[in-house]
């Protein structure tokens, strides 16, 4: 990365509201180059109001401050869509000495009924006033849903494809959101991570970090070192997942990253994962011999991480 270990900050407003004909193309090139080099970049001018972000963070703080027994009633392990609450210690990655310290809450697009294999269905909301949690969370989710689609549109153009290609694999996309609380550093064992080193497994990730609370680190292959990503107000972090790297033939990178909360206070963040239709295969290369669908790729990874039942694998 740059000498300051700061990912590129790209102004999306130049793409959304271009003043000159070349503005949109400049943004496309900037994002293409960032994804080829780092697999990560930051964006401002993204269209999600700061007030929406602030109310959302306040909602997360209210949920995670609930008694543990109340949160466990919403355990994602009891939900067929794997939506709801993940307790601290529920995730242990291969190679890590200790499980992740984070706790999390998952939602997806709100739908009336469950559909196998579980990527579409109702959310598992806590018993909080709607104005305190569901409303600000839903508003922020809709904002990141739109932003994730926009990033996909730009990524496609960076590879020479028209934005309309989205219609071939994203008529009813899987869009999941993971809200996260990291405990203070004093509650963490030596060698334990908030989230251990990993790559994201799907499409575009849109990450909000609580302003001023650092923790995210991205692996820089060129320097063979972990590089911190600053937490800046009204700036989102975007990265590509394994599916994008696979579909793009390696043109775009899926980079390893981890989270270490070094401060002795809690840290909040949220990641929205924008994948594509459950049954979609590689739209960038119809002749790709691997015919894995989005659903199959996600279930394979989710199955290892979330102990999905065998019937879910069959349905995918």
């Amino acid at each position: 990365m740059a000498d300051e270990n700061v990912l590129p900050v790209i102004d999306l407003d130049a793409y959304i509201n271009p003043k000159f004909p070349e503005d949109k193309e400049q943004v496309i090139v900037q994002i293409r180059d960032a994804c080829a080099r780092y697999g990560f970049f930051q964006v401002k001018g993204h269209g999600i109001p700061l007030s929406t972000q602030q109310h959302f963070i306040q909602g997360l703080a209210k949920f995670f401050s609930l008694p543990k027994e109340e949160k466990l009633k919403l355990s994602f392990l009891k939900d067929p869509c794997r939506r709801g609450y993940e307790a601290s210690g529920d995730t242990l990655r291969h190679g890590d000495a200790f499980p992740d310290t984070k706790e999390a809450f998952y939602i997806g697009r709100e739908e009336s009924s469950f559909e196998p294999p579980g990527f579409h269905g109702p959310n598992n909301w806590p018993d909080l006033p709607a104005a305190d949690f569901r409303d600000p969370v839903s508003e922020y989710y809709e904002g990141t849903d739109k932003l994730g689609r926009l990033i996909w549109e730009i990524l496609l153009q960076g590879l020479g494809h028209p934005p309309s290609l989205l219609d071939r694999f994203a008529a009813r996309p899987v869009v999941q959101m993971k809200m996260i609380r990291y405990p203070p550093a004093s509650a963490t064992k030596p060698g334990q991570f908030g989230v251990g080193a990993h790559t994201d497994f799907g499409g575009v990730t849109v990450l909000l970090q609580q302003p001023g609370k650092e923790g995210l680190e991205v692996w820089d292959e060129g320097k063979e070192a972990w590089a911190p990503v600053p937490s800046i107000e009204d700036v989102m972090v975007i990265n590509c997942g394994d599916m994008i790297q696979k579909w793009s033939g390696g043109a775009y990178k899926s980079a390893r990253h981890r989270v270490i909360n070094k401060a002795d206070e809690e840290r909040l963040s949220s990641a929205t994962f924008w994948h594509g239709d459950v049954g979609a295969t590689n739209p960038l290369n119809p002749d790709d011999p691997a015919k894995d669908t989005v659903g199959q790729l996600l279930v394979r990874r989710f199955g290892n991480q979330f102990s999905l039942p065998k019937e879910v694998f069959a349905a995918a």
Side-chain angles (χ1 to χ4, degrees), residues 220-237:
D220 184 344
E221 289 185 347
K223 294 184 176 180
E224 296 187 344
W226 290 101
V229 179
S231 180
I232 307 170
E233 185 174 68
D234 206 20
V235 171
M236 301 283 180
V237 180

Side-chain angles (χ1 to χ4, degrees), residues 1 4-7 214-218 226-230 262:
M1 299 180 188
E4 314 86 50
N5 280 336
V6 175
L7 293 170
E214 318 295 340
L216 175 63
E217 296 179 344
V218 176
W226 290 101
V229 179
K262 298 175 183 176

Side-chain angles (χ1 to χ4, degrees), residues 233-250:
E233 185 174 68
D234 206 20
V235 171
M236 301 283 180
V237 180
I238 310 293
N239 67 283
C240 299
D242 296 342
M243 189 176 75
I244 289 180
Q245 179 171 294
K246 178 181 173 63
W247 281 3
S248 70

Side-chain angles (χ1 to χ4, degrees), residues 279-296:
T281 55
N282 187 350
L284 309 184
N285 179 14
D287 297 323
D288 188 341
K291 297 300 181 183
D292 294 328
T293 66
V294 170
Q296 288 169 337

Side-chain angles (χ1 to χ4, degrees), residues 70-243:
E70 289 299 312
K71 291 182 287 189
L72 286 173
K73 292 177 183 177
L74 301 166
S75 174
F76 75 139
L77 296 174
K78 302 174 184 177
D79 187 87
C81 292
R82 287 303 187 257
R83 300 183 187 182
Y85 176 67
E86 175 189 357
S88 176
D90 276 356
T91 299
L92 176 62
R93 289 177 174 78
H94 179 72
D96 287 352
F98 304 102
D100 293 348
T101 63
K102 73 171 190 312
E103 53 180 324
F105 190 81
Y106 298 85
I107 69 164
R109 195 181 306 279
E110 186 69 56
E111 305 204 34
S112 59
S113 59
F114 166 77
E115 294 180 26
F119 293 115
H120 295 293
N123 288 312
N124 192 10
W125 296 104
D127 187 18
L128 285 169
D132 286 351
F133 189 73
R134 181 169 180 167
D135 290 351
V137 167
S138 298
E139 181 178 347
Y140 176 77
Y141 173 87
E142 292 301 325
T144 55
D145 179 13
K146 293 177 183 176
L147 178 55
R149 188 178 187 91
L150 179 69
I151 297 297
W152 261 111
E153 175 183 309
I154 294 171
L155 291 176
L156 291 172
Q157 292 175 87
L159 295 175
H161 299 284
S164 60
L165 186 62
L166 263 171
D167 298 334
R168 284 181 46 189
F169 71 96
R172 191 187 178 200
V174 176
V175 183
Q176 301 155 319
M177 189 165 81
K178 176 180 182 179
M179 296 155 270
I180 311 167
R181 175 192 176 270
Y182 300 97
S186 58
T188 303
K189 299 180 178 71
Q192 189 175 28
F193 302 103
V195 174
H198 66 287
T199 58
D200 289 347
F201 45 85
V204 167
T205 301
V206 177
L207 175 70
L208 171 66
Q209 303 188 89
Q210 190 174 11
K213 297 192 176 182
E214 318 295 340
L216 175 63
E217 296 179 344
V218 176
W219 181 251
D220 184 344
E221 289 185 347
K223 294 184 176 180
E224 296 187 344
W226 290 101
V229 179
S231 180
I232 307 170
E233 185 174 68
D234 206 20
V235 171
M236 301 283 180
V237 180
I238 310 293
N239 67 283
C240 299
D242 296 342
M243 189 176 75

